[in-house]
Amino acid sequence: ILNVEQSPQSLHVQEGDSTNFTCSFPSSNFYALHWYRWETAKSPEALFVMTLNGDEKKKGRISATLNTKEGYSYLYIKGSQPEDSATYLCARSGSARQLTFGSGTQLTVLP
Amino acid sequence: EAQVTQNPRYLITVTGKKLTVTCSQNMNHEYMSWYRQDPGLGLRQIYYSMNVEVTDKGDVPEGYKVSRKEKRNFPLILESPSPNQTSLYFCASSLSGTTNEKLFFGSGTQLSVL
């Protein structure tokens, strides 16, 4: 994998469903993995920054895991709510100074 | 309130007319950066600055200029805008610029160049 890839590009889920999406990235020279939540017409906001293989982070109903050896991170949302509707961006760093962003997963939670 | 402030939110201009998008942060952050967001692509870095008077090119610097005369301000300058610079622009900052720190983003500037 040469770039940061996110899948799926978009998905629709029903309120109350749990969901997850993937961020794949080059595993060599890994430094950090970021997740951001971006609501339409607002600023992207940081959810998590992870650096160690096996890291797991949790914030309310949202959690993330990191596998640096195989180059992927999962973001999980438990019991999705309409207010979770947003684009979720991941970004990977191969050095201390440079972040490369994926194109995002657009989540729509239907009431 | 800690924030990154960008202005304007929306801007329509014509090819060749110089423009500046302002960015200011009130968190005493050393690191500031500009990104552009285009459909189907991730945020791409235009320029970044590690501190006052220290700036460097990102991935897509062509057609843009920046300056960092004060720690809090990092304006993005388009000397001669072209239609391919129509995009959504974000300014971001972090404490010292190491990538294990989260970025704080401004609210974005939607630029249309006719």
Side-chain angles (χ1 to χ4, degrees):
Chain A
I1 296 173
L2 299 176
N3 293 315
V4 177
E5 296 172 1
Q6 292 188 245
S7 62
Q9 270 193 322
S10 66
L11 75 161
H12 293 70
V13 301
Q14 288 294 137
E15 182 176 354
D17 286 352
S18 294
T19 187
N20 65 85
F21 14 98
T22 306
C23 175
S24 303
F25 53 84
S27 55
S28 59
N29 298 324
F30 175 84
Y31 195 84
L33 192 284
H34 294 220
W35 281 101
Y36 291 87
R37 180 171 178 273
W38 179 22
E39 285 182 77
T40 303
K42 294 188 178 180
S43 318
E45 288 186 358
L47 288 171
F48 309 112
V49 179
M50 297 182 285
T51 57
L52 299 176
N53 185 46
D55 255 354
E56 292 187 23
K57 301 265 187 175
K58 187 174 180 182
K59 188 176 182 178
R61 293 179 291 99
I62 304 177
S63 60
T65 61
L66 178 65
N67 183 323
T68 63
K69 294 182 192 289
E70 294 180 45
Y72 64 85
S73 175
Y74 293 137
L75 190 80
Y76 301 91
I77 302 178
K78 186 177 177 182
S80 304
Q81 301 296 308
E83 58 264 31
D84 295 327
S85 297
T87 297
Y88 292 83
L89 303 170
C90 74
R92 176 259 188 196
S93 171
S95 72
R97 303 293 185 197
Q98 190 84 356
L99 274 179
T100 301
F101 281 83
S103 55
T105 292
Q106 186 173 14
L107 172 67
T108 303
V109 182
L110 304 168
Chain B
E1 181 188 352
Q3 60 185 359
V4 178
T5 304
Q6 268 181 254
N7 281 298
R9 284 295 298 270
Y10 302 95
L11 182 57
I12 300 174
T13 190
V14 295
T15 299
K17 186 175 181 182
K18 180 179 178 179
L19 66 91
T20 300
V21 184
T22 63
C23 175
S24 178
Q25 49 89 10
N26 63 0
M27 296 169 279
N28 202 35
H29 284 174
E30 290 185 354
Y31 177 85
M32 298 185 75
S33 180
W34 278 101
Y35 293 88
R36 62 178 287 173
Q37 167 73 40
D38 299 292
L41 300 176
L43 287 164
R44 292 181 293 166
Q45 190 177 52
I46 303 170
Y47 270 94
Y48 64 96
S49 169
M50 297 303 297
N51 213 324
V52 175
E53 303 292 2
V54 180
T55 63
D56 210 343
K57 296 177 181 178
D59 298 320
V60 288
E62 294 78 21
Y64 304 95
K65 283 176 58 176
V66 292
S67 69
R68 189 93 181 271
K69 294 187 170 63
E70 305 164 283
K71 197 170 186 179
R72 62 183 291 123
N73 296 323
F74 190 45
L76 179 70
I77 303 156
L78 284 71
E79 294 266 358
S80 183
S82 62
N84 65 10
Q85 292 178 298
T86 292
S87 188
L88 176 61
Y89 292 85
F90 284 105
C91 179
S93 72
S94 70
L95 187 60
S96 65
T98 55
T99 53
N100 57 356
E101 296 169 352
K102 63 181 180 180
L103 288 171
F104 291 80
F105 284 89
S107 51
T109 296
Q110 181 65 58
L111 173 65
S112 295
V113 183
L114 306 177

